[in-house]
Amino acid sequence: MSAIRESRPSLHRVPRASSAWRWALLAAHAAVAVAWWQLGWRFGLPLLVATHLAFLWGALRPRSAMYGPVLSHLPIDDRRVWLTIDDGPSDDTRALLDLLDAHGAKATFFLVGERAAARPDLVREIVARGHGIGNHSHGHPQARFWSLGPARMRREITQCQDTLRAITGIAPRWFRAVVGHANPFVSPLLRECGLARVAWDARAYDAVRSNPAAVVARLERDLSPGAIVLLHEGARHGRNVEMIALLLQRLHALGYATVLPEELEDGA
């Protein structure tokens, strides 16, 4: 067992202190300045735009590691997947817990701090039933998370962390960025809180799409051993429980089980 633990790379990768992105930005702008000076604005301006688009793409692409490490797939070969459920707690939470219990499945709930503070009983129940919890920001600023400055980003990440720790006595280890976006101010706070960022490799936009069969069919196309499956609860269409029920049925039919990353770190 110890040999297995030693050979498996750590899944929980907290960002290290690094200024690589700053040096890259400075180098890119220096190249733009030289091009503008030597070749004129017709070359310099497009190069400037391309440089900024590259750094913006790093912020908006959920799997991008430009601003720090991100886990998007579990390194296993057998048919197990990690179910992650965002945006709770909600009116769906207890029904989802019953559903997961009925299928012998485990999931990690990425919780919004202010919603957790309003419904601490549900947060405690998630933990009591053997599921994981993760940090999904305090207020879920969906439209502008990617552009938050350092002070607001600090409030979003640390306040959620403090809220979940106060409710459960457990400090979350995983962070799911809002809409999967990041920027240079995320990694220092994750390092401070001991958090590792998690993305996904199977999604079906179940927070906005309301057809359970279509959602599950889309997810099924992206299933593979070690897939991190992105799910939601509490969507306005009110069908998340139905969707996850259908997904659990399909997982069983396809021979898939669920796993939490902590189990892999323990050598399971």
Side-chain angles (χ1 to χ4, degrees):
M1 185 69 70
S2 60
I4 294 175
R5 290 175 183 162
E6 289 173 4
S7 63
R8 175 175 286 140
S10 174
L11 301 177
H12 186 258
R13 297 177 60 203
V14 175
R16 296 181 297 176
S18 173
S19 57
W21 70 268
R22 294 186 179 91
W23 289 111
L25 185 62
L26 288 172
H29 279 82
V32 169
V34 170
W36 204 304
W37 178 47
Q38 294 287 342
L39 303 172
W41 70 270
R42 293 181 185 276
F43 291 91
L45 182 58
L47 185 58
L48 177 64
V49 171
T51 297
H52 282 260
L53 286 176
F55 282 91
L56 180 61
W57 179 245
L60 300 181
R61 185 173 184 269
R63 298 186 199 178
S64 172
M66 179 176 288
Y67 300 116
V70 57
L71 179 65
S72 58
H73 191 86
L74 299 179
I76 55 178
D77 298 322
D78 57 300
R79 289 198 162 208
R80 289 182 292 173
V81 297
W82 181 14
L83 300 182
T84 63
I85 304 174
D86 288 8
D87 295 355
S90 71
D91 290 340
D92 292 342
T93 303
R94 191 161 281 117
L96 289 175
L97 292 173
D98 291 342
L99 185 61
L100 291 165
D101 282 353
H103 286 265
K106 296 297 181 185
T108 298
F109 288 74
F110 284 89
L111 304 175
V112 177
E114 62 183 17
R115 299 171 191 172
R119 309 182 79 164
D121 54 322
L122 291 177
V123 180
R124 286 189 285 266
E125 188 167 351
I126 291 170
V127 175
R129 296 215 203 178
H131 303 284
I133 59 171
N135 183 322
H136 192 40
S137 82
H138 190 72
H140 201 269
Q142 181 171 322
R144 60 188 187 280
F145 184 82
W146 67 274
S147 64
L148 296 183
R152 176 64 186 277
M153 189 67 77
R154 171 173 290 277
R155 289 198 299 273
E156 288 294 335
I157 294 175
T158 62
Q159 194 170 350
C160 180
Q161 191 77 349
D162 292 344
T163 297
L164 296 178
R165 183 192 294 112
I167 293 171
T168 66
I170 300 168
R173 303 173 69 238
W174 307 103
F175 174 74
R176 167 71 52 70
V178 181
V179 201
H181 296 166
N183 70 26
F185 308 117
V186 170
S187 285
L189 298 171
L190 299 189
R191 182 169 63 252
E192 181 180 317
C193 295
L195 288 163
R197 184 158 61 102
V198 179
W200 57 81
D201 52 6
R203 73 179 300 184
Y205 302 95
D206 60 315
V208 293
R209 299 178 70 186
S210 60
N211 185 322
V215 164
V216 172
R218 173 71 180 267
L219 287 172
E220 190 173 327
R221 290 202 299 268
D222 293 329
L223 289 180
S224 64
I228 299 176
V229 182
L230 172 63
L231 302 164
H232 294 83
E233 61 174 298
R236 290 183 181 180
H237 56 61
R239 305 192 73 180
N240 287 133
V241 175
E242 187 180 349
M243 291 172 180
I244 294 175
L246 182 57
L247 174 63
L248 289 169
Q249 292 171 14
R250 289 300 298 152
L251 290 175
H252 178 74
L254 295 168
Y256 278 96
T258 62
V259 66
L260 299 179
E262 291 80 6
E263 298 174 58
L264 300 179
E265 291 178 326
D266 290 338

